[in-house]
Amino acid sequence: AGVERCTGEIEVTQELLGAVITRPRLAEKHLQKAPFRFLFDIVVEVTKATGFAAGLYDEEEVDPGTQKDKAAKVAFLEKIRDCVGVHLGTPVDLRPQKTVAGLEAQK
């Protein structure tokens, strides 16, 4: 499936991600307003399943126990945002500070 299919619609996201990972469960409520841990688990599982962004994070960064404070969460999201942007050849419209605060959940 090409990136052009990514519309932001929940059903499309469930279909595309569901073809790659089996967990976390891609529940509509989490896709509408994704908590950090949900995003963290998706990034880690996509990397395990596909190899995308392999080596981006060190062992400590992919340990959920280390992702407790806001700065660590923001740094985690900044890294994947920038990696995806480089891969797509365009900046990704995501502000990790807002995402971690529970704002701009639609992005």
Side-chain angles (χ1 to χ4, degrees):
V3 71
E4 63 278 351
R5 290 207 41 225
C6 297
T7 62
E9 294 174 24
I10 288 174
E11 298 80 15
V12 174
T13 301
Q14 288 170 321
E15 177 188 340
L16 293 174
L17 267 179
V20 177
I21 60 174
T22 57
R23 63 181 199 86
R25 194 168 82 70
L26 302 172
E28 184 173 342
K29 72 176 185 172
H30 289 128
L31 290 168
Q32 286 177 333
K33 187 172 171 103
F36 173 79
R37 179 59 192 262
F38 180 72
L39 297 173
F40 174 88
D41 289 344
I42 286 174
V43 170
V44 170
E45 290 301 314
V46 166
T47 299
K48 284 181 188 174
T50 67
F52 179 77
L56 183 63
Y57 300 105
D58 62 33
E59 266 187 53
E60 185 175 315
E61 290 172 307
V62 294
D63 175 359
T66 65
Q67 299 296 331
K68 298 290 185 196
D69 64 42
K70 185 176 180 178
K73 293 175 182 180
V74 167
F76 184 89
L77 293 176
E78 285 174 339
K79 278 187 170 184
I80 196 64
R81 177 203 58 200
D82 295 347
C83 179
V84 170
V86 167
H87 182 74
L88 295 176
T90 186
V92 174
D93 184 17
L94 174 76
R95 295 188 290 185
Q97 295 268 2
K98 298 279 188 183
T99 303
V100 169
L103 307 171
E104 296 185 352
Q106 71 279 9
K107 294 183 179 184

